[in-house]
Amino acid sequence: MTQDELLHLKLLAIELRKKLLTMIVSGGGGHTGGSLSCIDILVSLYFHALRIDPVDPESPGRDRFVMSKGHSAEALFCVLAEAGFFPEAELASYGSFGSRLYGHPTMGVPGVEMPTGALGHGLSIGVGMALAAQRDGVANRCFVLMGDGELAEGSVWEAAMAASHYRLDNLVGIVDNNGLQISGKTGDVMGLSPLAERWSAFGWAVEELDGNDIGGLASALDRLPARTGAPTLILAHTIKGKGVSFMENQASWHHGAPTAQQLGQALRELEAAAAGLRAAV
Ligand SMILES: [Mg+2]
């Protein structure tokens, strides 16, 4: 990726942060912290790695993306609109009666592959998609984004076993490892450590990186599969609420809507960050 492309994606991630916050305020609530933590991952996927075509969204050879942490739907909707799956103006309808955009992704939203948000299901779905592609001899890949709190679900580990058993090197799991979940610190609710070693022990090739660094994410996605014959797990260390000072690392921002004053401050901070990036060129 060129420096120009990287700058473009970083600025896009900031712009999408502004959009999703504005959407959450207009809709009266949303999963603020987790959407901000995973937006750099979604930008790296949708605008760098995924082989998809919004004009032909059902193309059999397309890569699949499953947003297993479906409660961060606001981030996904902003990305899908930006990618051209539906008009951006529709984002303003989020949360209103009759809109197809609400708190979780559904099959009514163009670009969504699976309705998600009952946590712990996405990786099993991804295993099925990847296994079907392997059996059909087609080259498409499947990416599944999970929350770290979600990893307490036992079904995740059943899927992890199956993925290595079937040698699904067309499957990529990504953990948005922000260390927090709705009820507090992930380590207090259900300890996951040593997380990289656990995935390795389940037969996955593990890539550990900064999940808010688009350059690092893009290069890891360029190197897939990390190991031939094994599924890849990208352990992405992120900051919940990333990009807004008073939301960062606060479990209380798992769900909620900023006040008008808080939204104003958040937008000013994000605009300052964008100005800083442009000035550094
Ligand atoms: Mg989390």
Side-chain angles (χ1 to χ4, degrees), residues 26-38:
S26 71
H31 286 90
T32 317
S35 286
L36 290 171
S37 83
C38 74

Side-chain angles (χ1 to χ4, degrees), residues 57-79:
E58 304 286 314
S59 164
R62 71 192 185 279
D63 284 343
R64 307 304 202 269
F65 174 71
V66 177
M67 182 84 167
S68 193
K69 50 169 283 175
H71 51 290
S72 295
E74 299 86 4
L76 180 63
F77 294 156
C78 287
V79 165

Side-chain angles (χ1 to χ4, degrees), residues 21 34 44 196 267:
L21 286 169
S44 303
L267 297 181

Side-chain angles (χ1 to χ4, degrees), residues 69 147-149 176-181 186 240:
K69 50 169 283 175
D148 51 353
D176 178 13
N177 193 38
N178 58 33
L180 294 170
Q181 60 193 95
T186 309
K240 194 157 186 157

Side-chain angles (χ1 to χ4, degrees), residues 96-110:
S96 61
F97 184 73
S99 173
R100 53 186 178 179
L101 306 181
Y102 44 92
H104 287 259
T106 66
M107 295 307 284
V109 181

Side-chain angles (χ1 to χ4, degrees), residues 237-250:
H237 300 293
T238 56
I239 293 173
K240 194 157 186 157
K242 174 72 178 178
V244 179
S245 61
F246 58 91
M247 293 180 178
E248 288 192 355
N249 284 318
Q250 300 297 318

Side-chain angles (χ1 to χ4, degrees), residues 254-277:
H254 180 88
H255 186 277
T259 63
Q261 188 182 8
Q262 287 171 324
L263 177 64
Q265 184 185 336
L267 297 181
R268 282 192 296 278
E269 288 185 14
L270 290 164
E271 280 155 18
L277 283 176

